[in-house]
Amino acid sequence: MTSIRSGSRPTEARPVDWLEPLSQTFPARALILSPTLYLLVNAAHIMAIGVLFGAILSLDLRILGLARMLPLAPTAVYLSRVAATGLGLAMLTGLGLFSVRPGEYAANPAFLAKLALIALGLINILAVHLTPAWRATVRGAEPTKVLRVGAAISILIWGGAIIAGRWIGFI
């Protein structure tokens, strides 16, 4: 499939071209036109990732048996909420950053790997939080082996998502 962009030379349409109108929205144009705004949103994205991963790592390490002096039940509830807040902020700021060059990002293998890992991380969260073992743990029971495996997998997935996110700029 070809399209005419400028002049009479046909160019190949990319499968992600349908995303390009996103870069013409008001928020995207503001980010494109203001390096300071882009810098602030980028910094907020990094801070949100720090909140997300810091909470996830702390909770997962506690589930794995570290920091036993912290009572797991209230810690799990609190850190889950902190992680959810970090995730929401990271998604919001990430969407803003994505809107600046959506076609470029959507064609970037590192960005696609990051999205896949985030999806796996969310599936892992759902799988863990929907188990009777999680419900028992937040009521005060010791974490089961299955919960510990989920915590180890979580650390690997979210760590991988951070690495993939850094990789985006190098491709």
Side-chain angles (χ1 to χ4, degrees):
M1 172 157 118
T2 61
S3 65
I4 305 295
R5 299 244 171 137
S6 61
S8 60
R9 270 185 45 195
T11 58
E12 280 296 312
R14 299 179 310 162
V16 294
D17 282 346
W18 64 273
L19 291 168
E20 288 306 325
L22 187 57
S23 68
Q24 299 307 312
T25 62
F26 178 77
R29 297 306 305 159
L31 288 167
I32 291 166
L33 295 173
S34 174
T36 304
L37 181 60
Y38 185 88
L39 168 76
L40 293 173
V41 171
N42 197 357
H45 187 63
I46 292 166
M47 287 187 274
I49 291 167
V51 169
L52 168 65
F53 188 66
I56 288 172
L57 182 62
S58 298
L59 176 56
D60 288 342
L61 290 175
R62 176 59 189 91
I63 289 170
L64 289 170
L66 277 73
R68 289 189 178 270
M69 76 290 281
L70 294 173
L72 183 54
T75 301
V77 172
Y78 173 71
L79 289 176
S80 292
R81 291 180 182 152
V82 171
T85 301
L87 178 63
L89 292 172
M91 290 174 72
L92 182 65
T93 55
L95 180 59
L97 297 172
F98 174 78
S99 73
V100 171
R101 295 189 314 248
E104 211 174 296
Y105 285 122
N108 184 314
F111 180 77
L112 298 175
K114 176 182 175 178
L115 290 183
L117 287 163
I118 291 169
L120 284 174
L122 293 173
I123 290 167
N124 186 58
I125 288 169
L126 281 174
V128 166
H129 283 236
L130 294 175
T131 64
W134 175 258
R135 289 189 294 280
T137 299
V138 296
R139 286 193 310 271
E142 281 298 306
T144 64
K145 185 179 264 187
V146 170
L147 214 53
R148 291 175 203 257
V149 168
I153 290 170
S154 170
I155 292 169
L156 293 174
I157 290 171
W158 291 106
I162 290 171
I163 291 167
R166 291 300 307 137
W167 182 32
I168 292 169
F170 296 93
I171 292 185

